[in-house]
Amino acid sequence: MSVGETEDRTSAAQGPTGTNGGKANFFTRWLRTSEIQGVICAVSIYTCYLYYGFLHEKMFKVEYGGEKFSYSTFLVFMQCIFNMTAAGIVLRIFPQEKRDTTPHSSYALVSLSYLGAMVCSFSALHYISYPMQVLVKSCKMIPVMVMGVFVSKRRYSWKETMCVLMITAGVAIFSYKPKAAQTGETSLIGYLLLAASLICDGFTGPFQERIVGASNPTSHQMMFWQNFWAAAWLFAASAASGQGVAGTQFFYKHPEALKDGFFFCLASAVGQNFIFYTVRNLSALTCTTITTTRKFFTLLVSLVFFKHSLNMRQVSAVVLVFTGIIWETVHKHQKKQAKLAAEKVRAKAEKTE
């Protein structure tokens, strides 16, 4: 039954006054406004991913019964299963008119970079702090621009270049240590894993754009099949490495870790649905703004709950990084609006000829 049919029946049942029917119509129209939808999506994404970030750090940094969780591949496998299930439920409740014609080989390929980014990012937490991980993972535009220069021979404006320089400088200032620490070698491993994660992120976007351009699947169709193939790859990897059995035993031995893992994956699945909804029904800029600011507050939650200490140099570095990210987001939106305006003028000129 549609919303309209429900409202009509409610209105008829209320009699000639139609008071409750009017309220229902007003409430439905109120919910459909982009501003209200934006607020609902922002609150939902914030709630899901702040809790997700809290559990993420807890699972890798806090001991369960004297043992630390160290099964990154198995946890990403669980996350993909939850994401796939959430997308499957949405597709089941709201059947898609258009069948997804994307070859499975395309999804199998994009899932490799997608899961590679997550596994490397998760594994890096064994070697570096969570605030450092959040900060570096906020720099996805760096590998995208580097690949654009060397692979696609693209040229970038001075504003885009300045944004990258600000972000790079911020990360360098944040991670700089005046004295060589004894854990320098392990920290280097963490940085290398994050670099690999960013490179994988740089591949994922273009792969997804190619799929959308070729067959234009819906957001949830892409979410389902991308996570399906990622889970398939990770099932094989978990079985071959022994992480599947070891991770299952760890959860059986430590029920609190199992509870944290369950809600970690659930928060990811629900949050990802709201992200897809925001991109599809509001705008990519709205989604980027929400997710970018969310990362900043995730960092603050980490500082408060896990007692990380930052000196003034590192605080300045955080401000520098997020200033660069926000500037880049605004600049990208302005470019897009200018392009749309130019296309409208050109289309209008062609009609008058």
Side-chain angles (χ1 to χ4, degrees):
M1 185 184 296
S2 68
V3 174
E5 290 171 339
T6 305
E7 289 173 354
D8 291 342
R9 293 190 181 188
T10 304
S11 180
Q14 297 302 324
T17 59
T19 303
N20 290 340
K23 289 181 179 178
N25 284 323
F26 170 77
F27 183 69
T28 303
R29 289 195 301 271
W30 181 75
L31 280 177
R32 286 175 179 170
T33 60
S34 60
E35 291 82 2
I36 299 303
Q37 288 183 350
V39 171
I40 292 173
C41 287
V43 171
S44 301
I45 292 170
Y46 268 55
T47 302
C48 289
Y49 281 102
L50 288 178
Y51 189 48
Y52 170 91
F54 170 79
L55 291 176
H56 193 182
E57 182 166 12
K58 180 184 177 184
M59 291 191 71
F60 283 90
K61 298 298 184 181
V62 176
E63 292 185 348
Y64 296 94
E67 295 182 84
K68 279 191 175 182
F69 183 82
S70 59
Y71 309 105
S72 306
T73 303
F74 183 62
L75 185 61
V76 177
F77 167 73
M78 288 176 54
Q79 186 175 336
C80 291
I81 291 293
F82 271 70
N83 291 344
M84 180 186 72
T85 303
I89 291 172
V90 173
L91 292 172
R92 187 73 176 177
I93 296 174
F94 306 103
Q96 309 296 302
E97 296 180 2
K98 180 177 175 291
R99 181 175 172 271
D100 187 4
T101 57
T102 306
H104 283 284
S105 57
S106 296
Y107 281 125
L109 183 63
V110 72
S111 68
L112 284 174
S113 60
Y114 166 72
L115 66 88
M118 286 197 293
V119 170
C120 290
S121 177
F122 283 28
S123 299
L125 281 176
H126 296 304
Y127 307 103
I128 61 174
S129 69
Y130 189 74
M132 187 66 208
Q133 191 244 37
V134 172
L135 205 63
V136 175
K137 284 293 287 181
S138 300
C139 308
K140 293 183 180 181
M141 62 178 291
I142 296 176
V144 171
M145 286 185 67
V146 171
M147 290 179 64
V149 171
F150 290 102
V151 178
S152 305
K153 307 299 182 184
R154 288 187 59 185
R155 287 190 172 187
Y156 294 94
S157 67
W158 69 269
K159 288 184 179 180
E160 291 170 317
T161 304
M162 282 299 298
C163 289
V164 170
L165 290 176
M166 286 175 66
I167 294 169
T168 305
V171 172
I173 293 169
F174 187 92
S175 58
Y176 173 72
K177 295 179 181 179
K179 295 182 180 180
Q182 293 181 353
T183 57
E185 184 177 352
T186 55
S187 296
L188 178 61
I189 294 174
Y191 295 139
L192 291 174
L193 285 169
L194 284 180
S197 178
L198 287 174
I199 291 171
C200 289
D201 281 330
F203 279 107
T204 302
F207 284 155
Q208 289 174 331
E209 288 175 0
R210 187 177 300 176
I211 289 174
V212 171
S215 51
N216 194 29
T218 66
S219 298
H220 285 92
Q221 285 172 338
M222 178 176 283
M223 179 178 171
F224 178 86
W225 288 111
Q226 182 172 294
N227 281 285
F228 171 87
W229 278 102
W233 289 118
L234 289 166
F235 177 80
S238 296
S241 64
Q243 281 206 21
V245 174
T248 302
Q249 291 175 340
F250 187 93
F251 284 136
Y252 180 78
K253 187 177 179 181
H254 304 288
E256 185 183 353
L258 176 61
K259 183 191 73 174
D260 288 343
F262 173 83
F263 283 107
F264 170 81
C265 295
L266 183 64
S268 169
V270 175
Q272 200 169 101
N273 270 283
F274 277 105
I275 286 176
F276 276 122
Y277 180 88
T278 303
V279 172
R280 200 75 173 178
N281 297 282
L282 298 176
S283 70
L285 176 66
T286 302
C287 185
T288 302
T289 303
I290 294 170
T291 53
T292 299
T293 52
R294 186 274 303 174
K295 289 174 183 175
F296 181 77
F297 287 108
T298 297
L299 194 147
L300 291 182
V301 168
S302 175
L303 295 175
V304 171
F305 283 94
F306 294 96
K307 310 299 181 183
H308 296 290
S309 60
L310 296 183
N311 54 39
M312 283 306 298
R313 171 176 55 81
Q314 291 175 313
V315 171
S316 301
V318 171
V319 172
L320 190 62
V321 168
F322 281 98
T323 300
I325 292 171
I326 293 170
W327 188 15
E328 187 267 342
T329 301
V330 172
H331 176 63
K332 186 184 293 183
H333 177 65
Q334 290 173 339
K335 280 182 63 178
K336 185 176 181 180
Q337 293 300 109
K339 184 178 179 181
L340 290 173
E343 288 176 354
K344 286 181 181 179
V345 171
R346 186 165 58 251
K348 189 175 181 180
E350 289 175 354
K351 283 183 179 180
T352 56
E353 291 179 355

